[in-house]
Amino acid sequence: MGEQAGQEGARLAIVGAGPAGLMAAEAAVQAGVQVDVYDAMPSAGRKFLLAGRGGLNLTHSEAPERFLTRLRPQQPALEAMVRGFSPEALRAWAASLGIETFVGTSGRVFPTDMKAAPLLRAWLHRLRAAGVRFHMRHRWEGWDGAGRPVFSTPGGTQSIDCAALVLALGGGSWARLGSDGAWVPVLQEAGVAVRPLQPSNCGFDVEGGWTPFFTERHAGQPFKSVAIEFGGVRRKGEFVATASGVEGSLVYAFSADLREAIARDGQATLSLDLLPDRDAAFVLREVTHPRGSRSLSSHLRGRLGLEGIKMAMLHERLPREAVQDPARLAAAIKALPVTLSAPRPIDEAISSAGGVEWSALDERLMLRARPGVFCAGEMLDWEAPTGGYLLTATMATGRVAGEGAAHWLVQGQAKRPQAADAA
Ligand SMILES: Cc1cc2nc3c(=O)[nH]c(=O)nc-3n(C[C@H](O)[C@H](O)[C@H](O)COP(=O)(O)OP(=O)(O)OC[C@H]3O[C@@H](n4cnc5c(N)ncnc54)[C@H](O)[C@@H]3O)c2cc1C
């Protein structure tokens, strides 16, 4: 049991067996440190496995300068960490586990079989072979009076001895997979500045909701090949209508800006282009083309290919008189205002924004308020869109924290973390 391991001398406890914690374990064990990994769940990497369900997007192949613009807020320390564990390095690392990768048409990088499970299996096997010990169903609760990390376990509450601690506890989405954000008040009480966790890469509710007719017929259907413009940025892609609003990759790409606008203004109105490959003049010409006895729907279907959810959206969001007015209808097809009133709850989000503030950390990701305690992964204050950026930055920070903890131990400053300033 890890509880006795402290007798062997300096050792590192890592809490969180997600990709950040596992990468920290790998970096530390390579540096010759004895590592024990703890996790509240019965098995490791549950969110990572879920990420593999829709095709594990490990990283992105775009140029580093462009890649780094995806991370926000702009943070030189994080950028340096991602430069130190680049997409190429990540692909080479996957290959070292026997997992070959390919670049998809979008530039996103996936394992050839698209799955997370074989990679996780090989990774855990390699870590165990290197001596890393795993302690599942150990939920970190904070520190005891002597400054030792405290866990609730099936056998009761236990404090452990360790010479350094890495926290890789994840963000606040999909709590049932383990990362529930319960660490936020614990770290705040320990004097660590934490920005509140918020949904990122999330869906949004439309103002006033959809009509029951629209929800019944179209919830779950995709808007294919459309464009969204918001805040002066325009992107093409796809998203999905939900029972109360919108979600999907194109919406996620705007989610940080939309969330911030809603927090500031109470709502946010995006502009939806239902025919991004047609210019406004063409659309107006086709809409105004005499339609004879044809219904408006079959006219628009025949001349512009507008049908299904796209047609329904026009009826849903436009007053009747605008639908009957060719100029207004044509303008709406190219720029339909859609007002969003709230992000969906954080538990539904792909990831979370907020977390441990950068000012609370040194360049090795050690907490200034808690020498010997390091943080990594999604629990740090950064966010990124989907596209492989999340896992890349998660693993890059895990690596820095693991190396930082090993360095701390090797430097011989290792004593029980925070023993001096324990409550
Ligand atoms: C549906 C979905 C699909 C995704 N797809 C992708 C994708 O394709 N590409 C991509 O880049 N990213 C994707 N992501 C995001 C990615 O999975 C996360 O950003 C990543 O898992 C974060 O890693 P982490 O190690 O920081 O945290 P997590 O993976 O959340 O791991 C944190 C670990 O800490 C444990 N823990 C938390 N609190 C405690 C505690 N108090 N005590 C003990 N243990 C604790 C948890 O049980 C968990 O095992 C996806 C996310 C979701 C939800």
Side-chain angles (χ1 to χ4, degrees), residues 269-332:
T269 301
L270 56 80
S271 175
L272 175 61
D273 184 345
L274 293 168
L275 293 175
D277 298 325
R278 299 294 193 184
D279 65 34
F282 176 87
V283 171
L284 180 61
R285 200 168 56 242
E286 295 302 303
V287 171
T288 49
H289 192 277
R291 66 178 158 105
S293 60
R294 287 209 294 182
S295 70
L296 180 63
S297 292
S298 58
H299 176 66
L300 295 180
R301 183 167 53 245
R303 301 218 61 96
L304 288 168
L306 266 183
E307 57 185 337
I309 193 170
K310 288 185 174 179
M311 197 60 220
M313 186 70 167
L314 291 167
H315 286 295
E316 179 77 4
R317 291 281 124 175
L318 288 179
R320 182 182 289 267
E321 61 276 15
V323 176
Q324 300 303 331
D325 176 338
R328 287 176 72 186
L329 179 60

Side-chain angles (χ1 to χ4, degrees), residues 21-363:
L22 296 180
M23 195 51 92
E26 183 148 65
V29 84
Q30 279 169 1
V33 170
Q34 171 61 50
V35 177
D36 286 87
V37 175
Y38 299 83
D39 199 291
M41 300 300 284
S43 61
R46 295 208 163 188
K47 190 177 278 186
F48 186 70
L49 288 174
L50 177 74
R53 206 179 283 171
L56 183 70
N57 184 191
L58 272 175
T59 189
H60 202 291
S61 62
E62 67 195 1
E65 293 316 319
R66 189 151 178 74
F67 190 109
L68 294 175
T69 64
R70 314 292 188 181
L71 309 171
R72 58 189 282 178
Q74 267 199 312
Q75 181 46 250
L78 178 61
E79 289 177 10
M81 290 173 203
V82 172
R83 280 185 199 280
F85 190 62
S86 64
E88 294 77 39
L90 200 159
R91 293 184 72 184
W93 167 83
S96 76
L97 287 168
I99 305 296
E100 294 305 325
T101 52
F102 73 97
V103 180
T105 47
S106 59
R108 295 173 180 217
V109 175
F110 302 89
T112 42
D113 66 358
M114 305 294 279
K115 294 180 187 156
L119 193 159
L120 182 63
R121 242 191 333 267
W123 196 6
L124 292 172
H125 179 75
R126 186 160 82 184
L127 290 172
R128 284 199 183 96
V132 176
R133 298 178 294 206
F134 286 86
H135 311 270
M136 308 313 291
R137 295 192 168 92
H138 278 61
R139 183 179 180 79
W140 178 73
E141 305 282 3
W143 291 274
D144 68 12
R148 298 183 305 170
V150 180
F151 293 83
S152 60
T153 76
T157 302
Q158 295 177 5
S159 297
I160 63 151
D161 286 310
C162 61
L165 178 68
V166 172
L167 299 174
L169 304 171
S173 74
W174 289 75
R176 65 185 173 281
L177 302 179
S179 42
D180 57 9
W183 53 267
V184 172
V186 179
L187 285 192
Q188 284 172 331
E189 275 163 34
V192 177
V194 181
R195 210 176 293 284
L197 299 180
Q198 298 194 61
S200 181
N201 295 304
C202 56
F204 290 84
D205 290 334
V206 292
E207 194 187 35
W210 302 124
T211 58
F213 178 82
F214 185 90
T215 302
E216 205 172 290
R217 296 214 167 185
H218 299 292
Q221 289 181 1
F223 286 92
K224 282 205 169 176
S225 198
V226 291
I228 286 179
E229 189 167 334
F230 183 73
V233 177
R234 178 183 163 88
R235 286 182 213 276
K236 246 177 89 174
E238 294 181 10
F239 67 90
V240 175
T242 63
S244 62
V246 291
E247 68 177 21
S249 57
L250 184 57
V251 171
Y252 299 160
F254 287 94
S255 68
D257 289 329
L258 291 169
R259 184 191 69 231
E260 282 165 13
I262 291 170
R264 190 181 58 239
D265 307 328
Q267 59 176 41
T269 301
L270 56 80
S271 175
L272 175 61
D273 184 345
L274 293 168
L275 293 175
D277 298 325
R278 299 294 193 184
D279 65 34
F282 176 87
V283 171
L284 180 61
R285 200 168 56 242
E286 295 302 303
V287 171
T288 49
H289 192 277
R291 66 178 158 105
S293 60
R294 287 209 294 182
S295 70
L296 180 63
S297 292
S298 58
H299 176 66
L300 295 180
R301 183 167 53 245
R303 301 218 61 96
L304 288 168
L306 266 183
E307 57 185 337
I309 193 170
K310 288 185 174 179
M311 197 60 220
M313 186 70 167
L314 291 167
H315 286 295
E316 179 77 4
R317 291 281 124 175
L318 288 179
R320 182 182 289 267
E321 61 276 15
V323 176
Q324 300 303 331
D325 176 338
R328 287 176 72 186
L329 179 60
I333 290 168
K334 289 298 292 172
L336 183 66
V338 180
T339 299
L340 307 176
S341 56
R344 293 295 300 160
I346 191 167
D347 199 45
E348 296 175 16
I350 298 283
S351 59
S352 52
V356 176
E357 293 189 23
W358 291 90
S359 59
L361 300 155
D362 74 6
E363 70 286 354

